[in-house]
Amino acid sequence: MTALIIESWERIENWLAEHAPATYAALAPPAVPADIAAAERVIGRPLLKPLVMSLLRHDGLLDQRGSLLPGFYRPMSAREIAAAWQLFTGFYDKRTADEEGEEADYDFMKLGVSSVLYGHPQLIPIARDVGGGCLVLDHRCEIDRGRVHEAEVVEGLMRGSHEMWTSLPVLMEAIATSLETDQPLNGYTPVVDEEQRLYWDCVPLRSDRTLHRS
């Protein structure tokens, strides 16, 4: 059974406190419930419980350079989520989405990528990278409800095949395990830099390692 998201946070906190104290210090305090409620009013729907639980543990990451999540993503605060959602949904082409209907969902499930679904109002941004990409939590009432997707303007919405994208609790548990075991997670390895900050290093391909040794 997937660990509760709070248990995963405790494991992540313990590891950061010992190995990456700068990132540990950058963890924001718990979100103010009023900020979560305000975000829900802006978005027009309740946030999924795992996201609320996570925000009530840490309201984002204070270090703007930080990348607590693999893929160089920084978790956002409740206020940032609301602001990012407003920008994100501005890209949604509802007319095209309505014309394609269920075909858009089918293509997304089959191909793992969709430009039509990019900006969908029920996809809630929860983390961002320095390049403007984000992680979104799927709030739609279909099979992907609760799943985490990557979203980028050029590529569109991307449905990762790795198990860690199954849900936010699964993602946080996978991160905790990767930190504790120093094992790669979906091509990323946890590393601590000279400033005692956590970042995720891309694991080189086998051919790259061979060329490097030669």
Side-chain angles (χ1 to χ4, degrees), residues 1-21:
M1 180 180 293
T2 302
L4 294 174
I5 198 165
I6 298 304
E7 294 177 359
S8 296
W9 262 123
E10 290 175 350
R11 293 166 60 193
I12 292 169
E13 292 163 357
N14 291 337
W15 188 93
L16 292 175
E18 181 177 357
H19 300 282

Side-chain angles (χ1 to χ4, degrees), residues 1-186:
M1 180 180 293
T2 302
L4 294 174
I5 198 165
I6 298 304
E7 294 177 359
S8 296
W9 262 123
E10 290 175 350
R11 293 166 60 193
I12 292 169
E13 292 163 357
N14 291 337
W15 188 93
L16 292 175
E18 181 177 357
H19 300 282
T23 299
Y24 177 75
L27 294 173
V32 177
D35 285 345
I36 296 177
E40 291 178 330
R41 286 195 297 271
V42 170
I43 294 170
R45 69 184 57 254
L47 299 176
L48 290 179
K49 185 177 180 179
L51 177 56
V52 172
M53 292 174 64
S54 183
L55 289 170
L56 290 174
R57 187 74 179 193
H58 294 291
D59 194 24
L61 191 68
L62 302 177
D63 184 357
Q64 298 295 312
R65 303 170 298 170
S67 56
L68 184 65
L69 311 180
F72 313 106
Y73 292 105
R74 176 181 66 84
M76 294 188 289
S77 68
R79 291 186 178 185
E80 289 176 317
I81 286 172
W85 178 86
Q86 290 177 305
L87 292 174
F88 180 68
T89 54
F91 291 94
Y92 188 55
D93 184 350
K94 188 177 185 303
R95 180 177 178 179
T96 300
D98 288 344
E99 289 176 352
E100 294 202 11
E102 295 182 358
E103 290 185 10
D105 293 323
Y106 176 78
D107 289 343
F108 182 52
M109 295 290 293
K110 181 179 180 180
L111 303 176
V113 63
S114 174
S115 60
V116 176
L117 295 177
Y118 185 84
H120 193 291
Q122 294 183 46
L123 301 175
I124 314 300
I126 60 172
R128 64 161 58 108
D129 65 18
V130 294
C134 61
L135 294 180
V136 298
L137 185 62
D138 201 330
H139 283 60
R140 296 176 301 157
C141 295
E142 287 83 18
I143 191 170
D144 272 350
R145 183 174 177 83
R147 193 176 180 90
V148 180
H149 308 300
E150 293 185 276
E152 199 269 336
V153 174
V154 176
E155 296 293 334
L157 188 68
M158 294 167 283
R159 188 181 192 275
S161 59
H162 194 279
E163 182 183 4
M164 72 178 190
W165 302 121
T166 304
S167 70
L168 187 57
V170 170
L171 175 60
M172 298 304 290
E173 183 181 17
I175 290 171
T177 300
S178 179
L179 294 176
E180 293 170 345
T181 62
D182 195 31
Q183 294 298 310
L185 177 59
N186 196 31

